[in-house]
Amino acid sequence: AVVSTQSGHYGRGRGTRDMFARDFRKRGMIPLSTYMKCYKNGDIVDIKGCGTVTKGMPHKVYHGKTGRVYNVTKRAVGVIVNKRVRGSILAKKINLRVEHISHSKCRDDFLNRVVKNELVKKEAKASGVFVCTRRAPVNPRSAHTVKGKGISVEEVCPIRYEFIA
């Protein structure tokens, strides 16, 4: 049996040595742009605990999760995050300081696609041509023969196993 000699190793910050550590060459003062960001109700944010600021820090369970802002105060933001507890998913409300959150980029691709599709539809309507804006999977490549110039074909086959005594 493995016996741990450490006393009290089930604490709140257990296993967060690398999780809350700052990145290489990103230590020291927090950039002012972190505090200049504007958060509104309904914004989607990513939670990433910053080890420099211990106030308003998320529990390690929420590190790396994405949530939606429901409340904004002077220095902190209230976020609703989904947490899986055994078989069910619970919507948890947590309060975090702005150092521990950042705007999520998960909807950027979708919003850019919406703008692009609207432009395409507008042009199609003007020209009177139907255009499909749905995403289509990439088709498999068509059959073709690979030709090698001056390269002889080498047949590859496994070497027969021979027992050597």
Side-chain angles (χ1 to χ4, degrees), residues 33-54:
S33 59
T34 306
Y35 300 101
M36 299 299 285
K37 285 177 186 167
C38 184
Y39 295 99
K40 299 174 190 169
N41 284 3
D43 283 357
I44 298 172
V45 292
D46 292 331
I47 300 166
K48 183 184 175 188
C50 176
T52 309
V53 182
T54 49

PDB file of all heavy atoms in Angstrom, residues 33-54:
ATOM      1  N   SER A  33      -4.520  46.236 -20.153  1.00  0.00           N
ATOM      2  CA  SER A  33      -5.610  45.889 -21.076  1.00  0.00           C
ATOM      3  C   SER A  33      -6.592  44.908 -20.442  1.00  0.00           C
ATOM      4  O   SER A  33      -7.765  44.871 -20.803  1.00  0.00           O
ATOM      5  CB  SER A  33      -5.043  45.290 -22.365  1.00  0.00           C
ATOM      6  OG  SER A  33      -4.275  44.136 -22.074  1.00  0.00           O
ATOM      7  N   THR A  34      -6.096  44.139 -19.455  1.00  0.00           N
ATOM      8  CA  THR A  34      -6.974  43.202 -18.741  1.00  0.00           C
ATOM      9  C   THR A  34      -8.076  43.962 -18.021  1.00  0.00           C
ATOM     10  O   THR A  34      -9.227  43.521 -17.976  1.00  0.00           O
ATOM     11  CB  THR A  34      -6.147  42.395 -17.715  1.00  0.00           C
ATOM     12  OG1 THR A  34      -5.051  41.786 -18.382  1.00  0.00           O
ATOM     13  CG2 THR A  34      -6.983  41.325 -17.045  1.00  0.00           C
ATOM     14  N   TYR A  35      -7.735  45.112 -17.461  1.00  0.00           N
ATOM     15  CA  TYR A  35      -8.701  45.897 -16.683  1.00  0.00           C
ATOM     16  C   TYR A  35      -9.533  46.818 -17.568  1.00  0.00           C
ATOM     17  O   TYR A  35     -10.555  47.331 -17.121  1.00  0.00           O
ATOM     18  CB  TYR A  35      -7.958  46.719 -15.631  1.00  0.00           C
ATOM     19  CG  TYR A  35      -7.173  45.870 -14.665  1.00  0.00           C
ATOM     20  CD1 TYR A  35      -5.799  45.714 -14.804  1.00  0.00           C
ATOM     21  CD2 TYR A  35      -7.809  45.198 -13.638  1.00  0.00           C
ATOM     22  CE1 TYR A  35      -5.071  44.921 -13.927  1.00  0.00           C
ATOM     23  CE2 TYR A  35      -7.099  44.403 -12.747  1.00  0.00           C
ATOM     24  CZ  TYR A  35      -5.728  44.267 -12.903  1.00  0.00           C
ATOM     25  OH  TYR A  35      -5.032  43.474 -12.042  1.00  0.00           O
ATOM     26  N   MET A  36      -9.092  47.054 -18.792  1.00  0.00           N
ATOM     27  CA  MET A  36      -9.799  47.967 -19.690  1.00  0.00           C
ATOM     28  C   MET A  36     -10.904  47.263 -20.485  1.00  0.00           C
ATOM     29  O   MET A  36     -11.688  47.929 -21.153  1.00  0.00           O
ATOM     30  CB  MET A  36      -8.818  48.613 -20.669  1.00  0.00           C
ATOM     31  CG  MET A  36      -7.727  49.435 -20.007  1.00  0.00           C
ATOM     32  SD  MET A  36      -8.358  50.810 -19.053  1.00  0.00           S
ATOM     33  CE  MET A  36      -8.815  51.915 -20.355  1.00  0.00           C
ATOM     34  N   LYS A  37     -10.954  45.933 -20.429  1.00  0.00           N
ATOM     35  CA  LYS A  37     -11.965  45.196 -21.186  1.00  0.00           C
ATOM     36  C   LYS A  37     -13.344  45.449 -20.600  1.00  0.00           C
ATOM     37  O   LYS A  37     -13.505  45.566 -19.389  1.00  0.00           O
ATOM     38  CB  LYS A  37     -11.659  43.704 -21.173  1.00  0.00           C
ATOM     39  CG  LYS A  37     -10.507  43.338 -22.083  1.00  0.00           C
ATOM     40  CD  LYS A  37     -10.193  41.868 -21.979  1.00  0.00           C
ATOM     41  CE  LYS A  37      -8.952  41.546 -22.787  1.00  0.00           C
ATOM     42  NZ  LYS A  37      -8.446  40.210 -22.479  1.00  0.00           N
ATOM     43  N   CYS A  38     -14.330  45.519 -21.487  1.00  0.00           N
ATOM     44  CA  CYS A  38     -15.709  45.803 -21.083  1.00  0.00           C
ATOM     45  C   CYS A  38     -16.525  44.519 -21.129  1.00  0.00           C
ATOM     46  O   CYS A  38     -16.572  43.852 -22.161  1.00  0.00           O
ATOM     47  CB  CYS A  38     -16.304  46.846 -22.018  1.00  0.00           C
ATOM     48  SG  CYS A  38     -17.945  47.367 -21.543  1.00  0.00           S
ATOM     49  N   TYR A  39     -17.155  44.167 -20.016  1.00  0.00           N
ATOM     50  CA  TYR A  39     -17.999  42.973 -19.948  1.00  0.00           C
ATOM     51  C   TYR A  39     -19.440  43.401 -19.746  1.00  0.00           C
ATOM     52  O   TYR A  39     -19.732  44.267 -18.929  1.00  0.00           O
ATOM     53  CB  TYR A  39     -17.556  42.066 -18.796  1.00  0.00           C
ATOM     54  CG  TYR A  39     -16.172  41.490 -18.997  1.00  0.00           C
ATOM     55  CD1 TYR A  39     -15.064  42.062 -18.378  1.00  0.00           C
ATOM     56  CD2 TYR A  39     -15.974  40.397 -19.816  1.00  0.00           C
ATOM     57  CE1 TYR A  39     -13.792  41.538 -18.573  1.00  0.00           C
ATOM     58  CE2 TYR A  39     -14.711  39.866 -20.016  1.00  0.00           C
ATOM     59  CZ  TYR A  39     -13.629  40.439 -19.387  1.00  0.00           C
ATOM     60  OH  TYR A  39     -12.373  39.929 -19.586  1.00  0.00           O
ATOM     61  N   LYS A  40     -20.335  42.784 -20.505  1.00  0.00           N
ATOM     62  CA  LYS A  40     -21.765  43.083 -20.401  1.00  0.00           C
ATOM     63  C   LYS A  40     -22.524  41.798 -20.104  1.00  0.00           C
ATOM     64  O   LYS A  40     -22.024  40.700 -20.359  1.00  0.00           O
ATOM     65  CB  LYS A  40     -22.280  43.662 -21.716  1.00  0.00           C
ATOM     66  CG  LYS A  40     -21.624  44.952 -22.131  1.00  0.00           C
ATOM     67  CD  LYS A  40     -22.110  45.360 -23.507  1.00  0.00           C
ATOM     68  CE  LYS A  40     -21.287  46.507 -24.050  1.00  0.00           C
ATOM     69  NZ  LYS A  40     -21.550  46.749 -25.468  1.00  0.00           N
ATOM     70  N   ASN A  41     -23.749  41.959 -19.617  1.00  0.00           N
ATOM     71  CA  ASN A  41     -24.590  40.787 -19.379  1.00  0.00           C
ATOM     72  C   ASN A  41     -24.824  40.045 -20.689  1.00  0.00           C
ATOM     73  O   ASN A  41     -25.113  40.664 -21.717  1.00  0.00           O
ATOM     74  CB  ASN A  41     -25.936  41.192 -18.784  1.00  0.00           C
ATOM     75  CG  ASN A  41     -25.818  41.547 -17.322  1.00  0.00           C
ATOM     76  OD1 ASN A  41     -24.732  41.551 -16.768  1.00  0.00           O
ATOM     77  ND2 ASN A  41     -26.940  41.842 -16.703  1.00  0.00           N
ATOM     78  N   GLY A  42     -24.675  38.723 -20.639  1.00  0.00           N
ATOM     79  CA  GLY A  42     -24.874  37.917 -21.837  1.00  0.00           C
ATOM     80  C   GLY A  42     -23.600  37.586 -22.582  1.00  0.00           C
ATOM     81  O   GLY A  42     -23.599  36.753 -23.484  1.00  0.00           O
ATOM     82  N   ASP A  43     -22.482  38.236 -22.234  1.00  0.00           N
ATOM     83  CA  ASP A  43     -21.194  37.938 -22.883  1.00  0.00           C
ATOM     84  C   ASP A  43     -20.745  36.527 -22.527  1.00  0.00           C
ATOM     85  O   ASP A  43     -20.948  36.065 -21.399  1.00  0.00           O
ATOM     86  CB  ASP A  43     -20.113  38.923 -22.429  1.00  0.00           C
ATOM     87  CG  ASP A  43     -20.241  40.279 -23.100  1.00  0.00           C
ATOM     88  OD1 ASP A  43     -21.129  40.426 -23.960  1.00  0.00           O
ATOM     89  OD2 ASP A  43     -19.467  41.187 -22.757  1.00  0.00           O
ATOM     90  N   ILE A  44     -20.104  35.870 -23.485  1.00  0.00           N
ATOM     91  CA  ILE A  44     -19.537  34.549 -23.237  1.00  0.00           C
ATOM     92  C   ILE A  44     -18.073  34.737 -22.880  1.00  0.00           C
ATOM     93  O   ILE A  44     -17.330  35.397 -23.615  1.00  0.00           O
ATOM     94  CB  ILE A  44     -19.701  33.636 -24.465  1.00  0.00           C
ATOM     95  CG1 ILE A  44     -21.185  33.430 -24.769  1.00  0.00           C
ATOM     96  CG2 ILE A  44     -19.039  32.290 -24.236  1.00  0.00           C
ATOM     97  CD1 ILE A  44     -21.471  32.703 -26.053  1.00  0.00           C
ATOM     98  N   VAL A  45     -17.663  34.182 -21.730  1.00  0.00           N
ATOM     99  CA  VAL A  45     -16.296  34.364 -21.247  1.00  0.00           C
ATOM    100  C   VAL A  45     -15.648  33.015 -20.933  1.00  0.00           C
ATOM    101  O   VAL A  45     -16.327  32.059 -20.579  1.00  0.00           O
ATOM    102  CB  VAL A  45     -16.248  35.262 -19.985  1.00  0.00           C
ATOM    103  CG1 VAL A  45     -16.628  36.682 -20.306  1.00  0.00           C
ATOM    104  CG2 VAL A  45     -17.122  34.715 -18.876  1.00  0.00           C
ATOM    105  N   ASP A  46     -14.318  32.979 -21.102  1.00  0.00           N
ATOM    106  CA  ASP A  46     -13.527  31.816 -20.723  1.00  0.00           C
ATOM    107  C   ASP A  46     -12.916  32.076 -19.359  1.00  0.00           C
ATOM    108  O   ASP A  46     -12.417  33.179 -19.090  1.00  0.00           O
ATOM    109  CB  ASP A  46     -12.404  31.568 -21.735  1.00  0.00           C
ATOM    110  CG  ASP A  46     -12.938  31.122 -23.087  1.00  0.00           C
ATOM    111  OD1 ASP A  46     -14.009  30.490 -23.119  1.00  0.00           O
ATOM    112  OD2 ASP A  46     -12.289  31.403 -24.107  1.00  0.00           O
ATOM    113  N   ILE A  47     -12.938  31.058 -18.506  1.00  0.00           N
ATOM    114  CA  ILE A  47     -12.395  31.193 -17.156  1.00  0.00           C
ATOM    115  C   ILE A  47     -10.998  30.580 -17.125  1.00  0.00           C
ATOM    116  O   ILE A  47     -10.827  29.414 -17.487  1.00  0.00           O
ATOM    117  CB  ILE A  47     -13.313  30.499 -16.128  1.00  0.00           C
ATOM    118  CG1 ILE A  47     -14.700  31.132 -16.149  1.00  0.00           C
ATOM    119  CG2 ILE A  47     -12.713  30.558 -14.736  1.00  0.00           C
ATOM    120  CD1 ILE A  47     -15.756  30.345 -15.436  1.00  0.00           C
ATOM    121  N   LYS A  48     -10.019  31.398 -16.726  1.00  0.00           N
ATOM    122  CA  LYS A  48      -8.644  30.924 -16.609  1.00  0.00           C
ATOM    123  C   LYS A  48      -8.035  31.608 -15.398  1.00  0.00           C
ATOM    124  O   LYS A  48      -7.785  32.817 -15.423  1.00  0.00           O
ATOM    125  CB  LYS A  48      -7.850  31.261 -17.873  1.00  0.00           C
ATOM    126  CG  LYS A  48      -6.434  30.728 -17.856  1.00  0.00           C
ATOM    127  CD  LYS A  48      -5.677  31.171 -19.089  1.00  0.00           C
ATOM    128  CE  LYS A  48      -4.226  30.727 -19.004  1.00  0.00           C
ATOM    129  NZ  LYS A  48      -3.416  31.298 -20.082  1.00  0.00           N
ATOM    130  N   GLY A  49      -7.829  30.848 -14.339  1.00  0.00           N
ATOM    131  CA  GLY A  49      -7.318  31.412 -13.092  1.00  0.00           C
ATOM    132  C   GLY A  49      -5.921  31.977 -13.247  1.00  0.00           C
ATOM    133  O   GLY A  49      -5.045  31.345 -13.812  1.00  0.00           O
ATOM    134  N   CYS A  50      -5.727  33.187 -12.747  1.00  0.00           N
ATOM    135  CA  CYS A  50      -4.421  33.850 -12.788  1.00  0.00           C
ATOM    136  C   CYS A  50      -3.826  33.788 -11.382  1.00  0.00           C
ATOM    137  O   CYS A  50      -4.406  34.320 -10.436  1.00  0.00           O
ATOM    138  CB  CYS A  50      -4.593  35.291 -13.247  1.00  0.00           C
ATOM    139  SG  CYS A  50      -3.078  36.239 -13.216  1.00  0.00           S
ATOM    140  N   GLY A  51      -2.673  33.137 -11.248  1.00  0.00           N
ATOM    141  CA  GLY A  51      -2.077  32.909  -9.938  1.00  0.00           C
ATOM    142  C   GLY A  51      -1.595  34.159  -9.239  1.00  0.00           C
ATOM    143  O   GLY A  51      -1.380  34.146  -8.029  1.00  0.00           O
ATOM    144  N   THR A  52      -1.402  35.248  -9.965  1.00  0.00           N
ATOM    145  CA  THR A  52      -0.914  36.491  -9.361  1.00  0.00           C
ATOM    146  C   THR A  52      -1.953  37.089  -8.423  1.00  0.00           C
ATOM    147  O   THR A  52      -1.612  37.629  -7.383  1.00  0.00           O
ATOM    148  CB  THR A  52      -0.574  37.511 -10.470  1.00  0.00           C
ATOM    149  OG1 THR A  52       0.275  36.881 -11.421  1.00  0.00           O
ATOM    150  CG2 THR A  52       0.135  38.708  -9.913  1.00  0.00           C
ATOM    151  N   VAL A  53      -3.205  37.003  -8.825  1.00  0.00           N
ATOM    152  CA  VAL A  53      -4.294  37.593  -8.034  1.00  0.00           C
ATOM    153  C   VAL A  53      -5.054  36.462  -7.359  1.00  0.00           C
ATOM    154  O   VAL A  53      -5.705  35.652  -8.026  1.00  0.00           O
ATOM    155  CB  VAL A  53      -5.248  38.408  -8.934  1.00  0.00           C
ATOM    156  CG1 VAL A  53      -6.341  39.053  -8.109  1.00  0.00           C
ATOM    157  CG2 VAL A  53      -4.476  39.451  -9.695  1.00  0.00           C
ATOM    158  N   THR A  54      -4.955  36.395  -6.040  1.00  0.00           N
ATOM    159  CA  THR A  54      -5.633  35.315  -5.316  1.00  0.00           C
ATOM    160  C   THR A  54      -7.059  35.688  -4.924  1.00  0.00           C
ATOM    161  O   THR A  54      -7.847  34.815  -4.601  1.00  0.00           O
ATOM    162  CB  THR A  54      -4.841  34.939  -4.051  1.00  0.00           C
ATOM    163  OG1 THR A  54      -4.528  36.128  -3.327  1.00  0.00           O
ATOM    164  CG2 THR A  54      -3.564  34.229  -4.421  1.00  0.00           C
TER     165      THR A  54
END
